[in-house]
Amino acid sequence: MSVRPIIILPDPRLRLVSEPVTAIDDDIRRLVEDMFDTMYDAPGIGLAAIQIGVPKRVVTVDLAKKDEPRAPQVFINPEILARSEETSVYEEGCLSIPDVHEDVERPARIRVRYLDLDGKPHEIEADGLLATCLQHEIDHLNGILFIDHISKLKRDRILKKFAKAAKRAAG
Ligand code: GNR
Ligand code: NI
């Protein structure tokens, strides 16, 4: 059980492009375990490895509601193969941008290819919250944040607030 610290805006590591996983070894299995510990502790519905400072293409998701049993899902090297024309809007938040929630419009459905923890490839069609969450997490793997999908005015306001808070914390 290792809850690792979540990195927060404006940490420049959030802008890194994460590297593909080349071998699913004990290091990756430990990383995934720590990601779930950290995600459930937060709590959040998704986490990208870079949010705990590890620039590898690993995503964890659990969309189960509070009164439902846990439903952990792991996506290694996830790739979006296709996006629907139709879009949907969800109010998104991010553990790396605490207390900020904004509507984001994204493709409503995506086709995703990924590896599971056994290295076995899968292809799924995702819609609803899973489609939104996977797009949010795959964005993290590419150094993109949900605030990059909102107006520049709102984004700059948020960036300024977090830059100021970091400055204050540094004394
Ligand atoms: O916990 C999270 N909730 C959430 C809500 C709407 C859209 C995306 C998300 S993901 C977020 C956790 C997180 O920051 N993942 O990177
Ligand atoms: Ni996030």
Side-chain angles (χ1 to χ4, degrees):
M1 170 91 195
S2 294
V3 174
R4 302 205 209 168
I6 293 175
I7 65 178
I8 304 293
L9 201 71
D11 192 312
R13 290 173 290 177
L14 289 171
R15 294 307 190 176
L16 291 176
V17 176
S18 294
E19 294 291 335
V21 171
T22 54
I24 298 169
D25 53 16
D26 284 351
D27 278 0
I28 294 293
R29 282 185 281 270
R30 195 166 312 120
L31 170 66
V32 167
E33 195 176 303
D34 288 356
M35 286 174 66
F36 278 116
D37 291 343
T38 304
M39 186 180 86
Y40 288 128
D41 177 75
I45 61 170
L47 195 75
I50 192 58
Q51 292 182 277
I52 56 170
V54 179
K56 293 191 171 150
R57 301 184 82 82
V58 178
V59 164
T60 55
V61 171
D62 190 328
L63 301 181
K65 304 203 182 71
K66 268 185 290 187
D67 58 341
E68 293 172 354
R70 282 184 175 177
Q73 296 179 263
V74 183
F75 300 87
I76 296 172
N77 298 344
E79 283 175 77
I80 298 177
L81 303 174
R83 297 166 170 82
S84 64
E85 290 280 341
E86 192 196 328
T87 61
S88 61
V89 175
Y90 270 90
E91 190 180 68
E92 298 196 17
C94 182
L95 295 172
S96 296
I97 315 175
D99 303 318
V100 173
H101 301 91
E102 297 287 347
D103 281 351
V104 177
E105 183 176 12
R106 299 183 187 269
R109 290 178 304 284
I110 52 172
R111 185 158 189 86
V112 180
R113 177 167 53 207
Y114 66 96
L115 303 178
D116 66 19
L117 261 184
D118 297 320
K120 189 177 151 205
H122 295 264
E123 267 187 44
I124 57 161
E125 199 74 52
D127 63 7
L129 186 56
L130 181 60
T132 286
C133 188
L134 280 174
Q135 289 175 84
H136 176 118
E137 303 311 339
I138 292 167
D139 270 356
H140 274 302
L141 304 183
N142 295 320
I144 297 168
L145 301 171
F146 84 90
I147 55 170
D148 299 334
H149 298 290
I150 65 178
S151 76
K152 178 166 164 53
L153 182 73
K154 280 186 181 171
R155 177 169 60 253
D156 286 349
R157 213 184 277 148
I158 294 160
L159 289 169
K160 204 169 165 183
K161 184 179 122 181
F162 280 83
K164 215 171 185 175
K167 227 171 178 178
R168 257 188 277 115

